[in-house]
Amino acid sequence: LDREQAVALATRLREESDAIAHLGDAASGQAAVVIDMLRAVELGEQEDTMREIMRRRPEVAQAVFSQVCLESATLVAPQDVVSDAMLRTPLETLTAMLRGTRQDVRSFLVEQAPSNIRAALIQELELGIPVVRSEYLEARQVFTDTLASILQREGEDLVAINARAITSGQVGQTASS
């Protein structure tokens, strides 16, 4: 390319970039709203919502998945990372999350728990103490934020893990909490 062609090409690329830049901003803005909503709903609603968003607005789903770790991601994340997140989450917080989550997730996480906390978790859960929804949601956010942080630190692809959690066998479609 000569200088004139290079300048023309650069100008055209900048114009094209400016024309679609708002799409990324829109997806990020919508992702922030979706994330706030996801943090306020239970697991089944999280999954249903994200399946619909993946179908209708994949760019928004991608933006959400890159910023948050869904509860169902605990079922597909590497076992050592899930165990590490459990160790880094206070036992009381972890117990509140497990009391509020679906039975399949609870059973899986108790199975995956490091041996030094598994017995304590089982003992706490056998007490049958109910958890207030707000405590469950708060505990879930602490745990999933911890899990997301460890996944990212370990170089895991948070987007892929969340997408796999939502699409792999339609996790939890028939399970009850």
Side-chain angles (χ1 to χ4, degrees):
L1 297 175
D2 64 20
R3 184 171 173 7
E4 186 176 308
Q5 290 173 321
V7 169
L9 180 60
T11 301
R12 192 171 124 237
L13 287 173
R14 186 173 46 248
E15 289 169 354
E16 292 291 325
S17 175
D18 290 346
I20 63 169
H22 71 283
L23 296 176
D25 293 342
S28 292
Q30 290 173 359
V33 171
V34 170
I35 289 169
D36 286 344
M37 188 273 304
L38 290 175
R39 288 188 170 144
V41 299
E42 294 185 17
L43 176 57
E45 291 176 77
Q46 276 189 343
E47 293 171 338
D48 293 343
T49 299
M50 288 311 302
R51 280 187 199 99
E52 185 66 17
I53 291 172
M54 285 173 68
R55 190 175 67 75
R56 291 179 181 230
R57 300 292 312 273
E59 71 283 359
V60 174
Q62 177 101 6
V64 169
F65 287 163
S66 71
Q67 298 175 52
V68 71
C69 183
L70 299 175
E71 183 177 347
S72 53
T74 61
L75 300 171
V76 297
Q79 179 181 346
D80 60 325
V81 177
V82 173
S83 295
D84 191 12
M86 292 177 84
L87 285 171
R88 294 173 188 273
T89 303
L91 186 62
E92 182 178 305
T93 302
L94 192 55
T95 303
M97 186 204 135
L98 292 175
R99 283 184 175 135
T101 194
R102 235 176 22 210
Q103 181 62 44
D104 61 326
V105 175
R106 181 180 314 119
S107 297
F108 180 80
L109 288 175
V110 169
E111 257 180 50
Q112 300 305 310
S115 58
N116 58 334
I117 65 169
R118 185 179 305 125
L121 284 173
I122 291 170
Q123 184 178 10
E124 286 293 320
L125 293 171
E126 286 177 347
L127 294 174
I129 300 170
V131 67
V132 178
R133 184 173 189 262
S134 61
E135 290 175 7
Y136 153 65
L137 295 174
E138 185 178 309
R140 177 182 70 187
Q141 184 172 344
V142 169
F143 178 70
T144 56
D145 286 352
T146 300
L147 180 58
S149 174
I150 296 168
L151 285 165
Q152 290 169 332
R153 186 183 70 228
E154 295 291 321
E156 296 288 342
D157 185 349
L158 191 54
V159 173
I161 288 171
N162 280 315
R164 190 167 61 244
I166 293 301
T167 59
S168 65
Q170 305 295 298
V171 174
Q173 282 284 302
T174 59
S176 60
S177 43

